[in-house]
Amino acid sequence: MIKIIGIDPGLSSTGIGIIKGQGLKIDGYSYGSIRTSKSFSLPRRLDQIFSKLLQILTNEKPDL
């Protein structure tokens, strides 16, 4: 089984999708987004996106 993560970059909303499967069969998927506030400074917004992506990658351990 393989796990693939896709990231749709964006500053106010960064999309994330994860697919698990083998060959042409999909065994599961999940998706979500990381949202940042326009009132935060750019460095703070980028840090928030980085921290949450790092947490997701650490927990999910995707193959690709």
Side-chain angles (χ1 to χ4, degrees):
M1 180 156 341
I2 191 166
K3 188 185 287 188
I4 301 170
I5 187 167
I7 301 170
D8 180 18
L11 188 56
S12 63
S13 181
T14 299
I16 301 163
I18 300 170
I19 300 172
K20 293 183 257 180
Q22 188 170 6
L24 297 176
K25 184 178 180 209
I26 295 174
D27 294 317
Y29 66 92
S30 60
Y31 56 89
S33 63
I34 301 169
R35 298 192 180 273
T36 63
S37 173
K38 291 180 181 179
S39 65
F40 293 165
S41 67
L42 179 59
R44 184 172 173 189
R45 292 172 85 177
L46 292 173
D47 182 61
Q48 185 177 6
I49 293 167
F50 174 79
S51 297
K52 289 186 179 181
L53 278 176
L54 185 60
Q55 181 182 13
I56 291 167
L57 291 170
T58 301
N59 291 339
E60 293 294 331
K61 297 176 180 60
D63 298 301
L64 297 172

